[in-house]
């Protein structure tokens, strides 16, 4: 497993999952993830959904922009990406 550290914009937001539960996620947008970590992680998604790197789960997840609760905040942080 390889790890890469990078200063990137970390977004924090809560959204409603398809099953109706709420999810708080701290994530990095796919385009800001280092190329060596991306691999083949992107997939086609419905409108409002996007592939992101969940920095707490250390993996790619789906964020639902169509059901955001409140606002999504952003700040620059040093993140360790794992693959």
């Amino acid at each position: 497993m390889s790890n890469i550290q990078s200063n990137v914009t970390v977004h924090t937001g809560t959204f409603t999952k398809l099953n109706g539960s709420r999810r708080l996620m701290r994530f990095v947008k796919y385009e800001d993830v280092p190329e060596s970590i991306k691999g083949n992680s992107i997939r086609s998604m419905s409108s409002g959904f996007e592939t992101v790197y969940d920095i707490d789960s250390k993996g790619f997840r789906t964020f639902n922009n169509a059901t955001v609760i409140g606002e999504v905040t952003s700040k620059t942080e040093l993140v360790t990406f794992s693959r």
Side-chain angles (χ1 to χ4, degrees), residues 27-41:
F27 63 92
V28 176
K29 292 191 176 230
Y30 187 82
E31 58 266 17
D32 295 332
V33 174
E35 289 296 325
S36 61
I37 300 297
K38 287 181 181 178
N40 294 324
S41 300

Side-chain angles (χ1 to χ4, degrees), residues 1-5 30 33-42 53-55 57-61 79-83:
M1 182 183 299
S2 62
N3 291 325
I4 295 175
Q5 288 191 324
Y30 187 82
V33 174
E35 289 296 325
S36 61
I37 300 297
K38 287 181 181 178
N40 294 324
S41 300
I42 192 91
Y53 186 87
D54 182 329
I55 63 171
S57 296
K58 300 214 179 290
F60 290 97
R61 301 289 185 272
V79 173
T80 300
F81 293 91
S82 300
R83 182 173 149 113

Side-chain angles (χ1 to χ4, degrees), residues 9-66:
T9 301
V10 174
H11 307 274
T12 302
T14 300
F15 66 98
T16 303
K17 295 171 47 174
L18 291 176
N19 67 8
S21 65
R22 290 184 176 188
R23 169 102 193 274
L24 171 67
M25 187 186 296
R26 292 173 8 104
F27 63 92
V28 176
K29 292 191 176 230
Y30 187 82
E31 58 266 17
D32 295 332
V33 174
E35 289 296 325
S36 61
I37 300 297
K38 287 181 181 178
N40 294 324
S41 300
I42 192 91
R43 59 183 180 216
S44 176
M45 303 231 169
S46 298
S47 179
F49 293 89
E50 70 176 306
T51 298
V52 298
Y53 186 87
D54 182 329
I55 63 171
D56 297 318
S57 296
K58 300 214 179 290
F60 290 97
R61 301 289 185 272
T62 301
F63 189 85
N64 187 348
N65 289 294

